[in-house]
Coordinates of all heavy atoms in Angstrom, one line a residue:
D61 N 29.5 23.9 -18.3 CA 30.1 25.2 -18.6 C 29.7 26.1 -17.4 O 28.6 26.5 -17.2 CB 29.6 25.8 -19.9 CG 30.3 27.1 -20.2 OD1 30.6 27.9 -19.2 OD2 30.4 27.4 -21.3
P62 N 30.7 26.5 -16.5 CA 30.3 27.2 -15.2 C 29.8 28.6 -15.5 O 29.2 29.2 -14.6 CB 31.6 27.2 -14.4 CG 32.7 27.1 -15.4 CD 32.1 26.3 -16.6
G63 N 30.1 29.2 -16.6 CA 29.7 30.6 -16.8 C 28.4 30.7 -17.8 O 28.0 31.8 -18.0
L64 N 27.8 29.6 -18.2 CA 26.7 29.6 -19.1 C 25.4 29.7 -18.4 O 25.1 28.8 -17.5 CB 26.8 28.4 -20.0 CG 25.7 28.4 -21.1 CD1 25.7 29.5 -22.0 CD2 25.9 27.1 -21.9
R65 N 24.6 30.8 -18.5 CA 23.3 31.0 -17.9 C 22.3 30.9 -19.1 O 22.6 30.8 -20.3 CB 23.2 32.3 -17.3 CG 24.3 32.6 -16.2 CD 24.3 31.8 -15.0 NE 25.2 32.2 -14.1 CZ 26.4 31.7 -13.8 NH1 26.7 30.7 -14.5 NH2 27.1 32.1 -12.7
L66 N 21.0 30.9 -18.6 CA 19.9 30.7 -19.6 C 18.8 31.6 -19.2 O 18.4 31.6 -18.0 CB 19.4 29.3 -19.7 CG 18.5 29.0 -20.9 CD1 19.3 29.0 -22.1 CD2 17.9 27.7 -20.7
Y67 N 18.1 32.4 -20.0 CA 16.9 33.1 -19.7 C 15.7 32.2 -19.7 O 15.6 31.4 -20.7 CB 16.7 34.3 -20.7 CG 17.7 35.4 -20.6 CD1 18.8 35.5 -21.4 CD2 17.5 36.3 -19.6 CE1 19.6 36.6 -21.2 CE2 18.3 37.3 -19.4 CZ 19.5 37.5 -20.3 OH 20.3 38.5 -20.0
G68 N 15.0 32.3 -18.6 CA 13.8 31.2 -18.6 C 13.2 31.2 -17.3 O 13.2 32.2 -16.4
R69 N 12.7 30.1 -17.0 CA 12.0 29.9 -15.6 C 12.7 28.6 -14.9 O 12.7 27.6 -15.5 CB 10.5 29.5 -15.9 CG 9.7 29.4 -14.6 CD 8.2 29.3 -14.9 NE 7.6 30.5 -15.5 CZ 6.5 30.5 -16.2 NH1 5.8 29.4 -16.3 NH2 6.1 31.7 -16.7
E70 N 13.1 28.9 -13.8 CA 14.0 28.0 -13.0 C 13.3 26.7 -12.7 O 13.8 25.6 -13.0 CB 14.6 28.6 -11.8 CG 15.4 27.6 -11.1 CD 16.2 28.3 -9.8 OE1 16.3 29.6 -9.9 OE2 16.8 27.6 -9.0
S71 N 12.0 26.7 -12.3 CA 11.3 25.5 -11.9 C 11.1 24.6 -13.1 O 11.3 23.4 -13.0 CB 10.0 25.8 -11.3 OG 9.1 26.5 -12.3
E72 N 10.9 25.2 -14.3 CA 10.7 24.3 -15.5 C 12.0 23.7 -15.9 O 12.0 22.5 -16.3 CB 10.1 25.2 -16.6 CG 8.7 25.6 -16.4 CD 8.0 26.4 -17.5 OE1 8.7 26.5 -18.6 OE2 6.9 27.0 -17.2
L73 N 13.1 24.5 -15.9 CA 14.4 24.0 -16.3 C 14.8 22.9 -15.3 O 15.5 21.9 -15.7 CB 15.4 25.1 -16.4 CG 15.1 26.1 -17.5 CD1 15.9 27.4 -17.3 CD2 15.3 25.4 -18.8
H74 N 14.6 23.0 -14.1 CA 14.9 22.0 -13.0 C 14.1 20.7 -13.3 O 14.7 19.7 -13.3 CB 14.6 22.5 -11.6 CG 15.0 21.6 -10.5 ND1 14.1 20.7 -10.0 CD2 16.2 21.3 -10.0 CE1 14.8 19.9 -9.2 NE2 16.0 20.3 -9.2
S75 N 12.8 20.8 -13.6 CA 12.0 19.6 -14.0 C 12.5 19.0 -15.2 O 12.6 17.8 -15.2 CB 10.5 20.0 -14.2 OG 9.9 20.4 -13.0
L76 N 12.9 19.8 -16.2 CA 13.5 19.2 -17.4 C 14.6 18.4 -17.2 O 14.8 17.2 -17.5 CB 13.8 20.4 -18.4 CG 14.3 20.1 -19.7 CD1 13.8 21.2 -20.7 CD2 15.8 19.9 -19.8
A77 N 15.7 19.0 -16.4 CA 16.9 18.3 -16.1 C 16.7 17.0 -15.2 O 17.3 16.0 -15.5 CB 17.9 19.2 -15.5
T78 N 15.8 17.2 -14.2 CA 15.6 16.0 -13.4 C 14.9 14.9 -14.0 O 15.2 13.7 -13.7 CB 14.9 16.4 -11.9 OG1 13.7 17.1 -12.3 CG2 15.8 17.4 -11.1
N79 N 14.0 15.2 -14.9 CA 13.3 14.2 -15.6 C 14.2 13.4 -16.5 O 14.2 12.2 -16.6 CB 12.1 14.7 -16.4 CG 10.9 14.8 -15.5 OD1 10.3 13.8 -15.0 ND2 10.4 16.0 -15.4
L80 N 15.1 14.1 -17.3 CA 16.0 13.4 -18.2 C 17.1 12.6 -17.4 O 17.3 11.4 -17.8 CB 16.8 14.5 -19.0 CG 15.9 15.2 -20.1 CD1 16.8 16.2 -20.7 CD2 15.3 14.2 -21.1
L81 N 17.5 13.1 -16.3 CA 18.5 12.3 -15.4 C 17.8 11.1 -14.8 O 18.4 10.1 -14.7 CB 19.1 13.2 -14.4 CG 20.2 14.1 -15.0 CD1 20.6 15.2 -14.0 CD2 21.5 13.4 -15.4
S82 N 16.5 11.2 -14.2 CA 15.9 10.2 -13.5 C 15.5 9.1 -14.5 O 15.7 7.8 -14.3 CB 14.7 10.5 -12.7 OG 13.7 11.0 -13.6
N83 N 15.2 9.4 -15.8 CA 15.0 8.4 -16.7 C 16.3 7.6 -17.1 O 16.2 6.5 -17.2 CB 14.5 9.1 -18.1 CG 12.9 9.3 -18.1 OD1 12.2 8.9 -17.2 ND2 12.5 10.1 -19.0
A84 N 17.4 8.4 -17.2 CA 18.6 7.7 -17.5 C 19.0 6.7 -16.4 O 19.4 5.6 -16.6 CB 19.8 8.7 -17.6
V85 N 18.8 7.2 -15.1 CA 19.1 6.3 -14.0 C 18.1 5.0 -14.0 O 18.6 3.9 -13.9 CB 18.9 7.0 -12.7 CG1 18.9 6.1 -11.4 CG2 20.0 8.0 -12.5
H86 N 16.9 5.2 -14.2 CA 15.9 4.1 -14.2 C 16.1 3.2 -15.4 O 15.9 1.9 -15.2 CB 14.5 4.6 -14.4 CG 14.0 5.1 -13.1 ND1 13.4 6.4 -13.0 CD2 14.0 4.7 -11.9 CE1 13.1 6.7 -11.8 NE2 13.4 5.6 -11.0

Side-chain angles (χ1 to χ4, degrees):
D61 182 331
L64 181 57
R65 309 293 191 256
L66 193 74
Y67 286 102
R69 187 174 293 160
E70 185 169 342
S71 62
E72 292 179 13
L73 294 167
H74 183 264
S75 287
L76 184 152
T78 55
N79 275 301
L80 291 176
L81 284 166
S82 67
N83 279 351
V85 168
H86 284 127

